[in-house]
Amino acid sequence: MDSITFRSDIVLSDVHIYTPNSSHLMVRLNGDGQPVFVSKFKILHTVNAYSKGDLEHLSNEKTRDDDLISSADVSEKKVDKRMEETYTDILLDDDGDLDVTRRSDGVLHSDENDQWREKVYPTIISKGEEFFSEEYEEDCTICNEIRIEHTMGTALEDVGKQVWRGAFLLADYILNNSYLFRDCTVLELGAGTGMTSIVMATVAKTIYCTDVGEDLLNMCERNIIANKHIYGTTGSEIKVRELDWLKSELCIDTKNPYCWSEEETAQLYDQTDVLLAADVFYDDDLTDAFFQTIYRILSNFRNPSTVYLSVEKRLNFTLRKMDVTCDAYDHFRFCLAELENLSDGKTKFAVEPVKLTFPQFLFYERVEQLELWKIIVEPLISNTQQ
Ligand SMILES: C[S@@+](CC[C@H](N)C(=O)[O-])C[C@H]1O[C@@H](n2cnc3c(N)ncnc32)[C@H](O)[C@@H]1O
């Protein structure tokens, strides 16, 4: 025997393991015969939209109780109070019984989630394409709940059909710092089910929600449409588009339903303020392709922008090193450092970690392996004069 090979073809996101069974509904089989589920994720506090004018008040009225503002702006006491209220809200079971677990730091821990871990008993309510029934849609619009269609357990090439913790971390950051994204144009890369873009649409103006593969983009688009009740009143628009990091050009082939129009391409380069990507660093070649893609896109920007990247440091024991390693994470950090050290005379990149001290507005386990990184991107003078 030359070498030992362990194969583990199917991966399952922790998000779906931890979602309580009452929140899972198996609704259909997709084109590949995979069971498709719908999970409900409640935003634990009402998102109150600020108008541009409100922003000016924000600096004077940082402690208004009913606004979502940066955790740095909210006193500890208020955060505790808010989390108590919101926990109480979510822990009512289907019969209305109260089941409260409270912590004061606003961050959910694994022991709490363990209490929630239950077996999943899927219920098939329909097969084929029809699953957003009238009853479902009505139900959707009355609550502050994001409903995401996804699969559970996929091969690596299909991981975008599941929701990952990094998507929640980014969504949480957006909810806590909504004033940063008000009226922005945003590009999300590797958006998967569209979870983060949906949350971003509660504040930003235009979101290009991108990924690759028609089946995945179809699923993403269905989620975007099904969650209009979350962002529809803000007048924001989410456009699902193909952006393949392994290709050097945006898709403009009009036969592709997710292609880019000329105006959209122009808007992307001229108006984008923010780039996002959640949990897309798990394969070194893809990580290289991702960084090349953002470098290429950002080099064409005329205005300063900010990139937010969430990453989960996944530890693996390897026989090769006879030790626990996190090669994919190390490679991510290597690429980040390379970008920061780049001096091409066109664009300046400054990298910094974001402290995860902000409270949770979505229910997931914020493990210590989760990280959020920020890249501040400045076109140099020569670039803006092009
Ligand atoms: C682990 S999933 C994360 C999905 C989503 N951001 C989340 O956190 O739930 C990684 C994502 O990267 C996307 N991806 C992988 N290769 C890609 C490529 N070449 N171009 C664009 N997206 C890609 C996958 O389709 C998938 O949606």
Side-chain angles (χ1 to χ4, degrees):
M1 192 163 62
D2 293 338
S3 63
I4 303 171
T5 313
F6 291 102
R7 290 197 57 167
S8 173
D9 289 330
I10 301 297
V11 287
L12 172 62
S13 165
D14 298 82
V15 168
H16 303 310
I17 301 174
Y18 284 120
T19 309
N21 69 355
S22 60
S23 298
H24 280 301
L25 281 178
M26 180 179 155
V27 289
R28 65 185 177 96
L29 299 175
N30 68 12
D32 300 332
Q34 299 160 327
V36 174
F37 294 78
V38 170
S39 290
K40 301 178 271 181
F41 304 105
K42 190 164 185 178
I43 298 179
L44 298 175
H45 196 272
T46 311
V47 179
N48 295 316
Y50 285 114
S51 67
K52 267 191 171 164
D54 288 338
L55 269 182
E56 280 138 36
H57 290 294
L58 185 64
S59 51
N60 304 324
E61 285 187 56
K62 283 182 191 256
T63 51
R64 270 165 47 176
D65 214 12
D66 56 348
D67 288 329
L68 275 185
I69 54 179
S70 160
S71 58
D73 298 333
V74 181
S75 68
E76 280 271 309
K77 225 173 169 183
K78 282 198 168 147
V79 172
D80 288 352
K81 189 166 172 280
R82 181 171 298 168
M83 293 308 290
E84 279 181 19
E85 285 162 9
T86 51
Y87 278 29
T88 307
D89 191 20
I90 196 164
L91 292 173
L92 281 181
D93 70 12
D94 289 344
D95 304 327
D97 299 325
L98 198 63
D99 180 15
V100 183
T101 309
R102 292 180 183 152
R103 291 186 72 100
S104 57
D105 59 4
V107 174
L108 308 179
H109 300 268
S110 61
D111 52 334
E112 288 160 2
N113 271 312
D114 283 343
Q115 296 167 18
W116 280 47
R117 189 193 279 261
E118 294 173 59
K119 281 186 185 166
V120 173
Y121 297 104
T123 319
I124 299 182
I125 54 177
S126 71
K127 279 188 180 175
E129 287 300 303
E130 291 303 315
F131 88 94
F132 289 122
S133 64
E134 265 175 40
E135 189 190 338
Y136 175 89
E137 279 178 7
E138 262 173 38
D139 186 23
C140 248
T141 54
I142 55 168
C143 53
N144 209 11
E145 205 168 59
I146 304 176
R147 299 195 177 195
I148 295 290
E149 181 181 333
H150 62 89
T151 58
M152 270 205 270
T154 55
L156 257 193
E157 57 269 24
D158 263 342
V159 285
K161 292 177 182 168
Q162 302 183 59
V163 185
W164 297 85
R165 275 194 289 235
F168 284 97
L169 182 66
L170 256 184
D172 248 349
Y173 184 77
I174 295 162
L175 290 169
N176 276 281
N177 297 280
S178 55
Y179 65 97
L180 290 177
F181 306 107
R182 184 77 47 212
D183 293 335
C184 284
T185 299
V186 177
L187 169 68
E188 183 178 3
L189 298 100
T193 59
M195 172 82 197
T196 307
S197 283
I198 290 165
V199 171
M200 181 54 104
T202 62
V203 281
K205 190 166 137 216
T206 306
I207 298 104
Y208 288 102
C209 172
T210 71
D211 211 299
V212 67
E214 198 171 329
D215 202 31
L216 174 59
L217 292 170
N218 284 343
M219 179 181 259
C220 180
E221 178 117 300
R222 290 163 70 89
N223 286 329
I224 302 300
I225 293 167
N227 284 286
K228 279 222 168 97
H229 60 287
I230 296 288
Y231 64 89
T233 53
T234 60
S236 309
E237 188 180 17
I238 307 178
K239 298 181 177 197
V240 178
R241 294 288 175 268
E242 182 174 293
L243 201 170
D244 185 347
W245 317 328
L246 299 173
K247 293 188 181 152
S248 54
E249 305 285 339
L250 295 177
C251 170
I252 51 166
D253 177 358
T254 50
K255 283 188 217 115
N256 183 330
Y258 302 106
C259 70
W260 296 73
S261 71
E262 249 178 64
E263 300 77 62
E264 287 166 353
T265 309
Q267 186 185 27
L268 175 75
Y269 293 127
D270 295 345
Q271 290 174 32
T272 304
D273 311 282
V274 175
L275 268 72
L276 301 174
D279 202 350
V280 296
F281 309 108
Y282 50 91
D283 173 284
D284 291 358
D285 292 338
L286 281 180
T287 301
D288 288 339
F290 173 89
F291 274 94
Q292 280 155 16
T293 301
I294 61 164
Y295 173 68
R296 200 171 50 242
I297 292 174
L298 292 166
S299 303
N300 283 302
F301 279 16
R302 291 182 179 272
N303 302 312
S305 56
T306 313
V307 183
Y308 294 94
L309 306 173
S310 70
V311 61
E312 188 166 338
K313 201 175 185 177
R314 294 192 175 89
L315 305 167
N316 293 306
F317 180 83
T318 62
L319 283 180
R320 187 166 48 90
K321 293 194 180 157
M322 286 304 284
D323 202 355
V324 173
T325 61
C326 38
D327 292 347
Y329 172 81
D330 293 344
H331 191 67
F332 161 72
R333 292 294 303 272
F334 171 80
C335 292
L336 260 189
E338 257 200 342
L339 190 69
E340 186 164 44
N341 294 331
L342 208 120
S343 53
D344 63 356
K346 282 178 78 183
T347 317
K348 189 170 158 241
F349 302 93
V351 175
E352 56 186 66
V354 177
K355 279 194 185 152
L356 304 190
T357 46
F358 47 90
Q360 282 184 234
F361 288 83
L362 288 152
F363 217 85
Y364 62 101
E365 189 184 7
R366 194 183 283 173
V367 292
E368 62 186 29
Q369 290 81 12
L370 273 175
E371 292 182 4
L372 186 57
W373 289 84
K374 177 173 163 182
I375 309 172
I376 298 156
V377 187
E378 265 183 72
L380 301 175
I381 294 163
S382 55
N383 199 25
T384 53
Q385 286 174 345
Q386 278 170 22

